[in-house]
Amino acid sequence: MEIPLSPISMIEIINKIEKEKGIRVIRFDIAEPMFTPPWDAIKGTVNALLKGYYRYSPSLGIIELRKAISNYLKETRNLDYSEDEILVTVGGKFAVFSFFLGLLKHGDYIVLLRPYWSSYKAIALMLGINTLEVWSKDPYHLDEESLKEIMSKRPKAIVINSPNNPTGGILDINDIKLLKDLVEDYNIYVLSDEIDWAYVYDDRKFISPASIENLKEKTIVIDGFSKVFCMSGWRVGFAAGPKELIDKMKIVQEHTVSSPTTFAQFGCLSAIEKYREYIPIIVRECDRKRKFIVEELNKINGIECPIPEGGFYVYPYIRLEKSTLELAHYLLLNGVAVIPGEFFGDNRNRLRLCYAISDEDISIGIERISKSIEKIKK
Ligand code: PLP
């Protein structure tokens, strides 16, 4: 089976189109908030280089950062992990890869909830791991019936991602209780991708399964610096879980990439120390942009945009003759980049738009979408 493309592949396509057509493409495709990272992160990175931190780091990551992450997980999600239960990785993506390669075997089954971030599926395919795909209930809840049905295949793990990319849906306490039942009854691992944990709106609460008794022992938490610190280029993420599982993931990292870049880890250390001041500001900004874009998109005839509970994406339904793949292509030629639902295993005619870009770009982008749709309808 062919490995699906990652939305990151859009970067090259967009650069080419901008050059060929001489236009500036509005980037709703990007999966990263376009805010400036904490200034301390930049200073911390440069200072680390000046101090001579340009050699290998321990493969678990530098101890100072692991201690800071331990504290951050406790304070933000009530999670108890010691520094030996934390693996600093080359982005959250490599934490996912290390989980799949370190804890699963070729031929194992894992459960993915549709719609899902495309890399779970791509990594599984690369490693010969089979996926069992069930729909989540809108916007992102576990469907007990379909999950229980596929348990007869004896999957080894389930991947959850709350707030969900692309829907923005958040698992609630009933979902977490159901997850606990599944773990107790079928002894599966949980990969809890919490990369967008802070983007939660309207008094909703983010619950990590690892904060629940009996779930923690089977759960690996994935997080990183790309989304809540806007430091995607540093390529630093982390995994937290029981030591014997983290040790298996560490071996994968040790023999592939060795460790994340040493001075980048020091930059992340400076960032995480500022999380209390930094994160609320960008989340407030995103909340404002979320309301604005939903209102504007819903004014376009042919688009129906639910308000997302979390994340920094909207995921509207498109009611047109064109498929979302065709529409995304058409919009790109008209100067707007979006990601079709097909990238997330979703064939229900939906598009993902990241709204963590400037207000001006949101407005220009919406206008271009509106005009393009008018042209299609004629
Ligand atoms: N998980 C999800 C749901 C994501 O959207 C991404 C990035 O797009 C990642 C994990 C990995 O992010 P990074 O490797 O930049 O830390």
Side-chain angles (χ1 to χ4, degrees):
M1 198 177 172
E2 220 176 299
I3 310 286
L5 285 178
S6 157
I8 288 191
S9 60
M10 292 293 286
I11 297 175
E12 276 169 58
I13 301 170
I14 289 164
N15 288 347
K16 193 163 166 265
I17 288 198
E18 285 190 326
K19 218 168 161 189
E20 278 173 12
K21 295 195 143 238
I23 51 167
R24 186 172 73 88
V25 172
I26 300 296
R27 304 286 312 273
F28 287 124
D29 60 298
I30 30 175
E32 55 179 327
M34 297 309 271
F35 303 110
T36 310
W39 183 237
D40 288 66
I42 297 164
K43 279 198 292 196
T45 309
V46 173
N47 283 341
L49 269 170
L50 293 172
K51 282 185 193 157
Y53 288 113
Y54 34 60
R55 308 243 180 251
Y56 290 129
S57 89
S59 46
L60 269 184
I62 58 171
I63 182 75
E64 296 87 337
L65 182 56
R66 285 188 283 126
K67 279 189 174 155
I69 291 170
S70 161
N71 190 39
Y72 172 73
L73 289 173
K74 179 73 196 162
E75 289 183 11
T76 58
R77 275 157 271 182
N78 198 25
L79 300 181
D80 282 307
Y81 291 108
S82 71
E83 56 263 29
D84 294 339
E85 294 174 306
I86 290 162
L87 173 68
V88 186
T89 54
V90 181
K93 202 175 254 182
F94 203 74
V96 174
F97 184 86
S98 305
F99 172 89
F100 278 41
L101 186 56
L103 302 183
L104 306 174
K105 287 196 303 290
H106 192 273
D108 279 352
Y109 283 93
I110 55 148
V111 180
L112 296 184
L113 303 178
R114 278 184 173 168
Y116 50 73
W117 181 52
S118 60
S119 293
Y120 306 134
K121 168 92 174 195
I123 294 171
L125 280 170
M126 285 178 211
L127 299 177
I129 289 161
N130 301 306
T131 57
L132 297 166
E133 300 180 22
V134 295
W135 285 98
S136 59
K137 286 201 247 170
D138 264 356
Y140 192 64
H141 295 291
L142 303 186
D143 180 14
E144 181 166 8
E145 209 176 306
S146 52
L147 281 169
K148 292 216 160 137
E149 211 169 285
I150 51 158
M151 286 298 147
S152 60
K153 291 261 189 196
R154 295 271 152 215
K156 291 281 162 47
I158 179 168
V159 179
I160 57 163
N161 168 219
S162 169
N164 173 249
N165 173 7
T167 66
I170 298 168
L171 295 179
D172 62 23
I173 189 66
N174 293 326
D175 297 308
I176 302 290
K177 279 184 188 153
L178 174 57
L179 195 61
K180 182 169 179 276
D181 291 346
L182 291 174
V183 166
E184 285 171 354
D185 295 347
Y186 300 97
N187 196 30
I188 51 174
Y189 293 125
V190 178
L191 179 72
S192 177
D193 183 341
E194 304 183 5
I195 201 106
D196 290 341
W197 71 272
Y199 294 97
V200 168
Y201 310 114
D202 302 330
D203 299 328
R204 286 196 179 77
K205 283 255 168 310
F206 168 78
I207 312 167
S208 171
S211 64
I212 308 287
E213 218 190 319
N214 281 5
L215 266 176
K216 186 180 178 224
E217 293 71 32
K218 295 292 285 185
T219 299
I220 292 286
V221 170
I222 302 283
D223 195 351
F225 291 84
S226 296
K227 316 292 171 163
V228 291
F229 292 101
C230 309
M231 294 170 68
S232 47
W234 268 254
R235 305 308 304 127
V236 181
F238 53 90
K243 188 173 178 328
E244 63 279 15
L245 306 186
I246 287 293
D247 281 346
K248 288 187 181 160
M249 292 171 61
K250 181 190 98 164
I251 291 173
V252 174
Q253 176 151 285
E254 198 160 275
H255 288 295
T256 49
V257 292
S258 302
S259 71
T261 305
T262 308
F263 46 86
Q265 293 186 60
F266 277 99
C268 291
L269 176 61
S270 304
I272 210 167
E273 282 166 355
K274 287 282 177 261
Y275 88 84
R276 287 182 207 82
E277 295 101 272
Y278 183 77
I279 294 176
I281 296 173
I282 58 163
V283 173
R284 241 190 336 266
E285 260 302 275
C286 280
D287 188 14
R288 188 183 60 74
K289 289 175 191 287
R290 171 183 76 122
K291 291 172 183 148
F292 174 63
I293 195 168
V294 168
E295 205 179 312
E296 293 302 305
L297 281 172
N298 278 324
K299 286 182 190 160
I300 302 175
N301 197 355
I303 293 190
E304 190 189 312
C305 187
I307 185 143
E309 298 176 334
F312 45 91
Y313 310 104
V314 280
Y315 198 50
Y317 289 95
I318 309 298
R319 314 273 185 223
L320 295 173
E321 294 292 301
K322 270 191 191 310
S323 77
T324 32
L325 276 173
E326 287 172 311
L327 178 62
H329 184 70
Y330 185 77
L331 289 176
L332 190 53
L333 297 177
N334 284 279
V336 190
V338 297
I339 304 289
E342 282 80 355
F343 272 70
F344 312 102
D346 191 345
N347 54 3
R348 297 172 303 172
N349 252 28
R350 301 187 76 168
L351 287 181
R352 189 195 75 181
L353 288 80
C354 165
Y355 55 79
I357 58 176
S358 73
D359 289 358
E360 194 194 351
D361 276 4
I362 295 179
S363 298
I364 300 172
I366 298 280
E367 202 183 318
R368 288 186 188 170
I369 294 175
S370 176
K371 284 197 174 136
S372 301
I373 289 185
E374 267 169 43
K375 268 196 260 168
I376 292 171
K377 284 189 164 165
K378 274 187 193 151

